[in-house]
Amino acid sequence: MDALDVLWRLLAVLLAFLVLPLLVGQAEHKAMAHMQGRVGPMYAGGFHGWAQLVADGVKFAQKEDIVPSGADRRVFQLAPAVALLPYLVVLIVIPVGDGDMVGQVVDAGVFFVLAVMGVGVLGSLMGGWASANKFSLLGGLRTAAQLMAYELPMLLAAASVAMAAGTLSLPGILDAWQWWWLPWQIVGGLVFFTAGLAELQRPPFDAPVADSEIIFGAYTEYTGLRFALFLLAEYAGIVVLSALTAVLFLGGWHGPFADTLGWVWTLLKTAVLAFVVIWLRVSYPRLREDQIQRVAWTVLVPLALFQIALTGVVKVVIQ
Amino acid sequence: MAVPGAGLAKGLAVTLRTMTRRSVTAHYPDVQPELPPRSRGVIGLFEENCTVCMLCARECPDWCIYIDSHKETMPAAAPGGRERSRNVLDRFAIDFALCMYCGICIEVCPFDALFWSPEFEYAETDIRDLTHERDTLREWMWTVPEPPALDAAAEEPKEMAAARKSAEKLAAKEAGEGQRPSGGPPSASPPRSSGATPPSSGSTPPSPSAERPGRAEGEGDA
């Protein structure tokens, strides 16, 4: 692999990282609006408000960058980067197509992905602690509680797939994937997706940023470009979560004409899952903090354990 | 016994169904709204009908109508007769910054000089520009729509009924005169020229009637 090839791949990943979250954001604007009987942005860019997020970005860039006087300056300023960059790193190892269509093959891909995604949540924690604001602190603590509760079922569900494939490598998992894994791993898939939603603090698991209780949680004191980076991190998180779920549980590039159109299948499955994320946001009210904890420990963890047992049993039987 | 998760599925179904339907958003600046009949947008003044009776200004709860006038004397119609005086309108203004669109001025006007127009796009950046003077109010008259037609089973408008009755009476009288012997009363005058004309113009005051949006047929809105 020469330097030019590496550069190419990094550029492609960066482009996907910059474009896909905006697409998801725009899709959320429009889908949410139509689900509520509205039309959403209509003016920016001329055609059905396609450039709304570009306009938002310009607006955010124009705003003053404020750091509260009581804040822990360095940590406060660093938090958005910590929240955003892990998703860029994760995108590098997600295989888009068969064979070589992946930024970088990592042997312990599942492990790497889950570990790095956990770092992203750290950004909210840093912001919440460093803001010197009680609402931010409450939001940060809720984030921490949510991270503790949902990392476990997410990990267990991912482990089930790794067990089934006998490898931790994401392309390796896809190579071993068969269509009947879909019903076999469906419970794990649901657990993984739900836990991922909770880790992204997406509705209905958005108690850490519950505006009616704690203003905007850890992001209360943020403004301008740093706030925009936090928002971008949320949408990059949706892309990463959808892509990961598609790769681990929906067979990634598998599908008709997979040898030529594999990448289309990956993107299509990712897009459908991203739409589901938006759909859930519009449909469900926010869970209370204790309800969030209860869902994690009494529903998702037992289900994930059940999935692991099922995977183990089937694995032994077919051998 | 409800299926677990049925409520969750129902919620998803509702949002998905709403997404496939047409949105209810009114695209106002791009598409003009469909206003209902008798919309209260702005008040137009048909100043040819105004006699400066001041009823509108006095009834206005907000005191937002300003009227100035003076009296002119007109020469006697016949030699040796008395001079007539009449009011001439100098200023008629409505301050739409104060107006609360109650429509009382339009209701009380005995000469049908005030009308509702559905035009509503007259916002101003300076509040003083919301005081519409006589010429502006006259311009609004061009936007006053035809009154909506009466319902099929509605009662006949009072003006129409009165005009028709007098016309019938006149016709009957003429018919009676025609049957009478020719040596009738010498004082038999020609039919009265005013007050008993055919119903089409019976309720119209002497004015340029072609451009007057008659309110006679819209009396049912009270």
Side-chain angles (χ1 to χ4, degrees):
Chain A
M1 194 183 283
D2 55 24
L4 195 67
D5 189 44
V6 171
L7 198 68
W8 256 126
R9 282 160 193 278
L10 287 184
L11 267 182
V13 169
L14 188 67
L15 193 71
F17 179 70
L18 291 178
V19 171
L20 292 182
L22 292 185
L23 284 181
V24 173
Q26 184 69 15
E28 178 168 70
H29 269 319
K30 292 308 256 187
M32 187 154 80
H34 282 283
M35 281 177 174
Q36 295 168 343
R38 304 180 285 118
V39 291
M42 287 297 280
Y43 286 97
F47 180 75
H48 286 260
W50 67 269
Q52 181 61 43
L53 289 178
V54 180
D56 281 349
V58 171
K59 182 198 76 175
F60 278 128
Q62 287 171 344
K63 287 190 167 184
E64 187 187 357
D65 183 30
I66 297 173
V67 180
S69 58
D72 189 340
R73 226 183 149 73
R74 299 293 290 279
V75 179
F76 183 87
Q77 288 175 329
L78 210 60
V82 175
L84 185 59
L85 285 183
Y87 296 118
L88 173 63
V89 176
V90 169
L91 270 187
I92 293 177
V93 302
I94 291 179
V96 178
D98 195 3
D100 210 25
M101 284 186 71
V102 51
Q104 172 67 45
V105 179
V106 177
D107 285 340
V110 175
F111 180 75
F112 175 80
V113 160
L114 291 177
V116 174
M117 271 180 82
V119 174
V121 183
L122 213 60
S124 302
L125 280 179
M126 288 167 62
W129 177 255
S131 290
N133 176 317
K134 59 186 169 190
F135 296 114
S136 298
L137 185 57
L138 279 174
L141 289 179
R142 286 185 178 189
T143 307
Q146 210 150 305
L147 174 69
M148 300 301 287
Y150 283 87
E151 195 73 5
L152 182 61
M154 201 173 177
L155 213 80
L156 291 174
S160 156
V161 183
M163 270 171 66
T167 172
L168 280 175
S169 154
L170 289 173
I173 288 173
L174 282 179
D175 286 335
W177 197 82
Q178 306 285 328
W179 69 266
W180 52 269
W181 287 29
L182 211 57
W184 183 24
Q185 302 290 341
I186 182 85
V187 177
L190 289 177
V191 169
F192 185 86
F193 192 63
T194 314
L197 271 186
E199 245 179 66
L200 293 176
Q201 303 165 14
R202 287 287 299 180
F205 303 104
D206 61 340
V209 292
D211 52 341
S212 51
E213 304 164 26
I214 51 175
I215 309 184
F216 206 47
Y219 317 133
T220 301
E221 293 287 358
Y222 281 92
T223 177
L225 214 49
R226 288 180 207 281
F227 182 74
L229 289 182
F230 269 124
L231 285 188
L232 188 62
E234 181 177 338
Y235 290 99
I238 294 175
V239 171
V240 166
L241 171 70
S242 303
L244 262 186
T245 311
V247 165
L248 289 177
F249 296 95
L250 301 182
W253 45 262
H254 285 282
F257 311 107
D259 41 352
T260 50
L261 292 177
W263 59 277
V264 175
W265 281 109
T266 308
L267 287 182
L268 196 67
K269 288 168 183 175
T270 307
V272 168
L273 284 173
F275 174 77
V276 172
V277 173
I278 296 164
W279 190 9
L280 290 172
R281 170 177 180 181
V282 183
S283 301
Y284 296 146
R286 179 184 300 131
L287 288 181
R288 224 166 42 220
E289 190 55 33
D290 61 307
Q291 290 170 330
I292 287 180
Q293 295 296 321
R294 208 171 65 187
V295 167
W297 294 108
T298 65
V299 179
L300 292 189
V301 171
L303 277 181
L305 288 174
F306 163 78
Q307 174 67 62
I308 286 200
L310 182 72
T311 307
V313 168
V314 173
K315 190 80 179 161
V316 169
V317 166
I318 60 173
Q319 258 172 359
Chain B
M1 177 64 193
V3 185
L8 295 178
K10 208 171 174 182
L12 289 175
V14 166
T15 44
L16 199 64
R17 212 180 312 126
T18 311
M19 191 176 74
T20 58
R21 293 205 181 127
R22 239 188 133 60
S23 65
V24 297
T25 304
H27 297 261
Y28 158 55
D30 302 323
V31 180
Q32 286 294 321
E34 287 242 351
L35 294 173
R38 306 192 182 94
S39 286
R40 299 181 171 197
V42 71
I43 296 169
L45 168 70
F46 191 61
E47 64 177 63
E48 289 86 339
N49 277 4
C50 180
T51 61
V52 204
C53 67
M54 303 286 285
L55 279 181
C56 51
R58 285 194 290 174
E59 293 294 332
C60 177
D62 290 340
W63 290 81
C64 69
I65 301 181
Y66 306 96
I67 298 178
D68 288 338
S69 69
H70 68 272
K71 210 171 253 188
E72 275 178 6
T73 47
M74 301 183 40
R82 189 165 57 84
E83 279 187 338
R84 304 283 167 147
S85 67
R86 73 181 182 103
N87 286 323
V88 179
L89 193 61
D90 291 332
R91 181 189 184 214
F92 193 109
I94 300 178
D95 188 352
F96 285 105
L98 291 178
C99 176
M100 63 183 194
Y101 300 89
C102 63
I104 289 177
C105 51
I106 294 162
E107 289 299 321
V108 299
C109 180
F111 298 103
D112 279 354
L114 291 171
F115 293 90
W116 276 121
S117 157
E119 292 293 316
F120 59 93
E121 291 174 311
Y122 52 95
E124 300 283 356
T125 49
D126 187 337
I127 196 170
R128 287 168 295 188
D129 295 338
L130 275 174
T131 303
H132 290 195
E133 292 294 339
R134 177 180 173 176
D135 47 345
T136 320
L137 293 173
R138 182 63 183 84
E139 285 304 308
W140 288 126
M141 272 313 292
W142 301 108
T143 65
V144 173
E146 286 280 319
L150 291 180
D151 290 343
E155 203 183 317
E156 195 179 24
K158 286 196 190 71
E159 292 91 333
M160 297 286 281
R164 194 168 48 77
K165 207 186 265 177
S166 57
E168 275 167 4
K169 216 184 269 175
L170 181 70
K173 195 175 162 195
E174 277 179 345
E177 279 173 357
Q179 283 167 5
R180 229 171 259 170
S182 56
S187 61
S189 56
R192 278 177 297 154
S193 60
S194 65
T197 42
S200 61
S201 62
S203 62
T204 312
S207 65
S209 60
E211 65 193 34
R212 177 182 176 272
R215 206 175 61 147
E217 288 164 20
E219 281 291 310
D221 65 344

